[in-house]
Amino acid sequence: MARLLSGLADVPVTKLHGVGEKKAEALSEMGIARVLDLLTHYPRRYVDRTQQAEIRDLSIGDEAMVMATVKKVGTRRTRNRRTIVEVDVFDGSGYLRCTFFNQPWRARQLATGTEAVFFGKVDMYKGRRQMSSPVVDLVGDRTGRIVPVYPQSEKGLLTWELASLVEEALERAGDFAEPLPAPVLRELDLMDRTRAFRRIHCPETMADAYAARKRLAFDELLRLQIALVMRKRAVEREAKGIRHLIDGELVGRFHDKLPFALTDAQRRANEEIAADLAGPHPMHRLLQGDVGSGKTVVCVAALLTAIQSGHQGALMAPTEVLAEQHYIGVRDLLADLTVPDPATLLGERPLRVDLLTNRTTASERARLHAGLRTGEVDLLIGTHALLTEEVEFHRLGVVVIDEQHRFGVEQRAALRGKGSDPDVLVMTATPIPRTAAMLVYGDLDLTILDELPPGRTPVRTVWSRGPLEEAEAWERVRAQVAAGRQAYVVCPLVEDSERIQARSATEELERLRAGILGDLRLGLLHGQMPSGEKERAMTSFRAGEVDVLVATTVIEVGVDVPNATVMVIEDAERFGIAQLHQLRGRVGRGAAESWCFLFGGPGPGAEERLTAMVRTTDGFELAEVDLELRGEGTILGTRQKGQSDLKLASLRRDKDLVRRARGVAVSVVGEDPALEQHPVLADEIRTMVDEEEAAFLFKS
Ligand code: ADP
Ligand code: MG
């Protein structure tokens, strides 16, 4: 019988002949307890012996790999007390010195007589050829042209010990069950499962290793996608959604009143959302749109759709500043709109929008809670205060969650729980590449606003690298203020301490007031200010009573003051791309020309980040750069489940595989929702997700 992964997951590594007590302990230190763990402990890389050089032939500047035996080891200390380990190795053709700085353990690792592969750049030191801190692989005396090198921990097993255990495991496992039908394998050009497991551990050529990796990476992605698609279907099955009235009057009147025409992207988004709202299943949709793409009017239309069919809406934002601003903006957008009310003389009453944050007074709150329960409050806007127990809705119909990345999955669920299966729209202004979205938000439908409203001039971004350029930036601030515009100065990011960050903003305000911006009206905004003060600072900036707002990153999210046309970001090298992009999105919100000045010197990765910011204002392009620079950990980090199974697949390298896996998952689950015709696949999904999740997914 062909081997199922669940079978391998049940067998402890101690069943292998090669594993005694001591090895079992070392393996467990590496997180390997079961045979499946061992087989999915994939090589980190390979040593291709066909690429091996002879020491005799090495020239200065070469990047080379040599296989040699340690002849002599010495350790010495420099004057500033750093250790240097010097190892002389010999490969039959010549001698080479390998030097290691501050790695005293190398002397133990590379005892005389040890055979190892050394990979590094050849340079000249005191007239002889050497490699400084080469990569070392203790491959042992294994034969074969391509030798796998396994990830190792300091106390763990050596790479060749692992290799021989893997070989035993593979041999005893025999043939693996194949989860995919042959036509799919052919179409995607994937090798079969059994061969893939063998080839990834013992490839005959590098091409072999790559092909094996591709197959197994695809399997990881497919399992994740199948679980996500099944989860989506399960939610749809479980929940009885509300069929909203989508051709009521309210939305139409709202759109007629807008002082601008919707963009095509907004129109498309409205249609997709309306179709969800009219449908029998609760909506579960992500609205991704770059800063300024106009997400607010789209979500308001969704909320009004609920209201016009006799329900209530809720809009949750991550910060007080943002909630208050949404409240002000939405209230203005909805002024003069009415809803039917048979109890009144005219048969209608004004639409009621309320705000709930931690600042809401107790009496106000009591009034609000009552209005929510009777249904008199049509739309509630607020922070996570919305999640408190006392908040009970009469008939909650649509929930909008702004800036998803600040809320956890549980909070999404908590808000959804305030109604009976309301429709949920999650909005994010942190674009992530579409393929990444498939991976992270695969249980949500996706709508992208990929168009900015017309008439925006892209923000001109300048990297001010020195005092002269900085002086020019301040000149621009002064000139814009003189022209009736406003500016932001964003203060350095101080890690982990809001208090220190607040202090640095206060100091910066004093410095500017005493110096270069002394004659302008300056305001201050930071997270440590009492909410009332924060609100006053924002109100007076919005009203134009303040020329320059000195702020911390609290303004990062959603602050909308179209008259602000300049932003100075200090110590920009300390910010990540996503954050810089969010900050910059605070200017360029009107038709006027806008500027963003990035102050900053060198820092790790600063050159790439800041030049990318200068080059483009496209959030999706920047998201790709971010992914390149930081890797997927930052995107996948927020996802708890399923990610442990992603050992090979990489968002960066495997975009195409992500898309294909998504496609296969959708079609497989579409035809066979409980995976009854795909028993091997079903077995793997159960093995990879936890029990509770599996019970949920497979409940029919
Ligand atoms: P974001 O997607 O960043 O939340 P907003 O919804 O805050 O964007 O919209 C940014 C600005 O653009 C707001 O001032 C809004 O009134 C305006 N806006 C939205 N849609 C359009 C449009 N179709 N045409 C012109 N201006 C628009
Ligand atoms: Mg917004």
Side-chain angles (χ1 to χ4, degrees), residues 330-350:
V330 171
R331 197 188 49 194
D332 289 350
L333 282 172
L334 301 184
D336 311 330
L337 287 183
T338 55
V339 292
D341 182 359
T344 63
L345 205 51
L346 295 173
E348 57 179 29
R349 59 168 176 82

Side-chain angles (χ1 to χ4, degrees), residues 260-263 266 290-297 453-454 456 560 589:
F260 45 74
L262 296 181
T263 63
Q266 283 170 321
D290 214 337
V291 276
S293 57
K295 292 185 289 298
T296 312
V297 293
R456 300 269 170 84
D560 185 18
R589 298 179 78 79

Side-chain angles (χ1 to χ4, degrees), residues 295-296 322 326 402-403 427 429 558 589:
K295 292 185 289 298
T296 312
L322 189 56
H326 267 314
D402 196 6
E403 312 296 353
M427 303 200 290
R589 298 179 78 79

Side-chain angles (χ1 to χ4, degrees), residues 69-278:
T69 310
V70 175
K71 290 292 179 193
K72 196 168 144 232
V73 194
T75 300
R76 62 187 177 85
R77 280 179 175 269
T78 62
R79 254 163 290 146
N80 47 16
R81 305 171 54 81
R82 302 213 302 162
T83 31
I84 297 183
V85 174
E86 288 167 327
V87 181
D88 289 320
V89 304
F90 179 70
D91 74 344
S93 76
Y95 272 93
L96 181 71
R97 167 158 295 186
C98 296
T99 312
F100 300 89
F101 300 95
N102 269 343
Q103 302 171 22
W105 52 275
R106 289 288 188 191
R108 263 170 290 133
Q109 182 198 32
L110 296 171
T112 308
T114 309
E115 204 175 357
V117 168
F118 300 85
F119 182 86
K121 195 166 175 168
V122 183
D123 57 31
M124 182 74 93
Y125 182 71
K126 290 196 173 153
R128 53 190 293 190
R129 289 174 310 169
Q130 67 148 17
M131 282 183 183
S132 291
S133 301
V135 174
V136 178
D137 288 318
L138 300 178
V139 293
D141 54 358
R142 277 178 300 161
T143 51
R145 293 190 309 152
I146 312 278
V147 181
V149 178
Y150 288 95
Q152 292 164 57
S153 67
E154 211 166 320
K155 281 201 224 135
L157 298 180
L158 297 171
T159 188
W160 79 78
E161 296 177 295
L162 274 167
S164 72
L165 294 179
V166 167
E167 265 165 50
E168 186 196 336
L170 281 173
E171 203 165 297
R172 293 179 51 187
D175 279 350
F176 288 77
E178 175 57 64
L180 290 175
V184 174
L185 292 182
R186 261 198 309 279
E187 192 190 327
L188 297 175
D189 190 23
L190 295 172
M191 64 168 64
D192 67 64
R193 176 61 79 69
T194 303
R195 191 154 152 212
F197 264 116
R198 291 175 188 281
R199 291 306 190 230
I200 198 157
H201 290 290
C202 320
E204 275 166 17
T205 63
M206 284 308 289
D208 231 17
Y210 292 136
R213 178 195 169 280
K214 177 179 162 192
R215 165 67 211 256
L216 295 170
F218 179 83
D219 289 347
E220 293 177 354
L221 292 166
L222 181 66
R223 284 192 288 266
L224 176 57
Q225 288 302 327
I226 293 224
L228 288 167
V229 174
M230 284 179 81
R231 158 159 276 279
K232 190 159 168 287
R233 291 290 149 94
V235 170
E236 288 168 1
R237 217 171 32 232
E238 293 261 297
K240 277 205 295 295
I242 306 161
R243 285 176 182 271
H244 290 281
L245 214 63
I246 57 168
D247 42 12
E249 284 185 3
L250 203 52
V251 176
R253 274 191 276 148
F254 164 64
H255 284 144
D256 289 345
K257 259 173 32 106
L258 286 178
F260 45 74
L262 296 181
T263 63
D264 287 341
Q266 283 170 321
R267 236 184 283 272
R268 250 192 330 267
N270 281 340
E271 278 165 23
E272 289 177 4
I273 292 169
D276 284 358
L277 293 178

